[in-house]
Amino acid sequence: MDVFWGKNCPHCLDQKPFLSELEERYPQLQIRQHEVWRNRFNRELFQLTAREHGVDADSVPAVFVGGKAFFGDAPFIRKQIEDAVRSFLNRKQQPDDRPAETLAPESQTDRGSPANAATTIDVPWLGTIDLVRQPLIFSTLLIAFVDGFNPCSLWVLTLLLGMVIHSGSRKRILLVGLVFLFTTATLYGAFVAGVFKVLSYVAYLIWVQWLVALFALLFGLVNVKDYFWFKKGISFTISDKHKPGIYQSIRGLLNPERKGLALAGATFVMASGIALVELPCTAGFPVIWSQLVRSQQVGTIEFLGLLLIYLLIYLSIEIAIFLAALITLKRQNFEEKHGQTLKLIGGMIMIALGIVMIVAPDMMNDLTGTLIVFSAAVFAAAVIMLVQKMRTDTE
């Protein structure tokens, strides 16, 4: 087994005791350690070994054994590594002299089938899904869905559609809506990818996870504060000083002389400007999600797939509002009280995720743990709303 690691890499340090135990349980196993962040020769060896296995040498710890490659450190990754070791050693033993006391009973993966055959399922239209990644996919779906209820984005979209509806033209609504959603998805996706890339570069710094956790706690507390004292003090929302400019930009789209490419171009410029203005309002969940994905040491292709899922779920709320406006030609009202409720729910989820990052980060590697975190946050938000309503009724 070849193990490539980096000095001061927290995941590498966490994995070392497991590798030592693995070497004790399997005397036939020889583990060769290669530090790559300070040793140029080892970095070149890492790249060569990765290339021979058909993978990218883009993260550590990286374990190569039995013709397979494993990146990162998590309970399910350790299980896969041990399964690969046991499978390889079992294949090396002759059937008649296999020592039962040394090797565990042969499983389905030990009989020559792919190492992940027992952890994958084929789903129509979706293809093959790896069940060991299910918690990460499930977390992506939940975080993106909650992020989609962003008060700033929903306010801008309903305002935009409300004004364009007055034109009475479904073609104009369709063009403006599609360009706005496309621009939002592109810029938001670029922002999330940038955050992920930055976190990947500083992954070896152990304080990064703590910094992201504190960011989540701060962001969450400010959003919860907005439920009680909206826009008082620190507030991650669109500033009132930017609203006149937004109104003016949207009114410019109502000019009947603007059609086709001119209208699409004006919408793109307007949407880009608004995306930059509302970025502080939307930055919370992408940072938390990027840290969660980065901690799982996913590859580039897998990250892009998860990002696509994130964007589709994130936009699903806005797409529903857009289609409703297109079909009914009626404006959907988005009031301040709706924004406060969404901020409370989102804030409680951010606080829960921040606490989990500090206290028990492995909870997000388990489907049950992920459900507990989100359910507890939503339940706490519901209790707060109930108590607030009772206080208001009493007064």
Side-chain angles (χ1 to χ4, degrees):
M1 176 188 294
D2 285 289
V3 179
F4 296 90
W5 61 284
K7 187 175 179 61
N8 297 327
C9 161
H11 295 290
C12 303
L13 296 176
D14 290 341
Q15 191 183 64
K16 283 184 178 296
F18 160 73
L19 296 177
S20 298
E21 294 174 4
L22 198 64
E23 205 166 19
E24 291 179 2
R25 286 199 299 271
Y26 301 93
Q28 308 97 316
L29 176 65
Q30 178 188 0
I31 298 180
R32 295 176 294 197
Q33 300 271 357
H34 313 279
E35 200 285 324
V36 297
W37 285 351
R38 299 189 178 188
N39 188 304
R40 181 178 178 181
F41 174 79
N42 286 345
R43 283 199 300 272
E44 294 176 353
L45 179 62
F46 184 22
Q47 294 172 357
L48 177 62
T49 305
R51 188 159 54 247
E52 290 176 345
H53 286 75
V55 295
D56 296 326
D58 56 3
S59 62
V60 291
V63 174
F64 298 88
V65 59
K68 299 180 176 62
F70 305 91
F71 293 88
D73 181 56
F76 66 87
I77 295 177
R78 295 183 182 186
K79 181 180 182 303
Q80 289 181 327
I81 292 174
E82 183 164 4
D83 287 345
V85 170
R86 186 170 59 247
S87 176
F88 182 76
L89 293 178
N90 281 341
R91 290 199 303 270
K92 289 295 184 180
Q93 295 286 339
Q94 294 297 324
D96 295 335
D97 62 357
R98 180 179 301 176
E101 68 277 8
T102 302
L103 300 178
E106 188 177 58
S107 65
Q108 179 181 356
T109 59
D110 296 332
R111 289 194 293 266
S113 59
N116 63 345
T119 61
T120 60
I121 56 174
D122 292 324
V123 179
W125 301 296
L126 295 180
T128 301
I129 294 180
D130 190 349
L131 295 180
V132 299
R133 288 294 192 192
Q134 188 180 26
L136 185 56
I137 294 176
F138 192 71
S139 299
T140 298
L141 295 175
L142 290 176
I143 293 176
F145 182 72
V146 176
D147 193 16
F149 283 97
N150 186 285
C152 299
S153 300
L154 295 180
W155 175 78
V156 171
L157 181 62
T158 54
L159 177 65
L160 171 66
L161 294 176
M163 289 187 174
V164 179
I165 282 173
H166 288 299
S167 68
S169 171
R170 281 193 169 88
K171 289 184 178 180
R172 180 173 288 267
I173 297 173
L174 180 63
L175 179 59
V176 170
L178 289 178
V179 173
F180 180 85
L181 292 174
F182 173 78
T183 305
T184 299
T186 302
L187 295 181
Y188 203 55
F191 169 72
V192 177
V195 170
F196 178 80
K197 197 67 175 178
V198 170
L199 291 176
S200 297
Y201 278 129
V202 296
Y204 63 93
L205 300 175
I206 194 169
W207 53 264
V208 170
Q209 180 168 327
W210 288 80
L211 183 63
V212 174
L214 292 176
F215 173 83
L217 291 173
L218 174 63
F219 216 98
L221 289 172
V222 171
N223 280 345
V224 172
K225 182 272 303 177
D226 271 345
Y227 177 74
F228 298 97
W229 304 284
F230 191 60
K231 289 188 177 181
K232 292 182 180 180
I234 301 176
S235 182
F236 300 120
T237 186
I238 297 178
S239 174
D240 290 338
K241 68 180 181 180
H242 293 302
K243 289 186 177 180
I246 294 176
Y247 288 128
Q248 184 177 357
S249 299
I250 294 177
R251 289 193 187 97
L253 302 179
L254 302 180
N255 187 346
E257 295 181 359
R258 282 183 173 172
K259 299 179 181 179
L261 291 177
L263 179 60
T267 303
F268 176 80
V269 173
M270 180 271 300
S272 300
I274 292 176
L276 295 177
V277 168
E278 70 176 19
L279 189 58
C281 185
T282 62
F285 281 115
V287 174
I288 298 171
W289 177 77
S290 296
Q291 169 63 17
L292 177 63
V293 175
R294 188 210 60 77
S295 67
Q296 296 290 328
Q297 300 285 338
V298 302
T300 302
I301 300 300
E302 188 174 1
F303 167 73
L304 293 176
L306 289 170
L307 179 59
L308 179 60
I309 294 174
Y310 190 103
L311 292 175
L312 288 175
I313 300 301
Y314 171 78
L315 287 176
S316 62
I317 311 302
E318 297 187 5
I319 291 174
I321 294 175
F322 164 64
L323 292 177
L326 182 65
I327 295 171
T328 65
L329 291 180
K330 292 182 180 180
R331 175 182 177 179
Q332 306 294 322
N333 293 323
F334 186 79
E335 301 176 2
E336 184 176 288
K337 62 180 181 180
H338 299 144
Q340 289 177 265
T341 301
L342 295 180
K343 277 183 169 289
L344 174 64
I345 297 173
M348 292 304 299
I349 291 177
M350 287 187 195
I351 292 173
L353 291 173
I355 294 174
V356 168
M357 284 183 186
I358 296 175
V359 178
D362 286 342
M363 281 190 68
M364 301 306 293
N365 296 331
D366 179 74
L367 184 58
T368 303
T370 302
L371 282 172
I372 291 174
V373 172
F374 279 86
S375 299
V378 173
F379 177 77
V383 170
I384 292 175
M385 287 188 285
L386 179 61
V387 172
Q388 182 68 4
K389 185 178 185 302
M390 293 173 61
R391 288 183 57 186
T392 303
D393 293 341
T394 303
E395 295 175 357

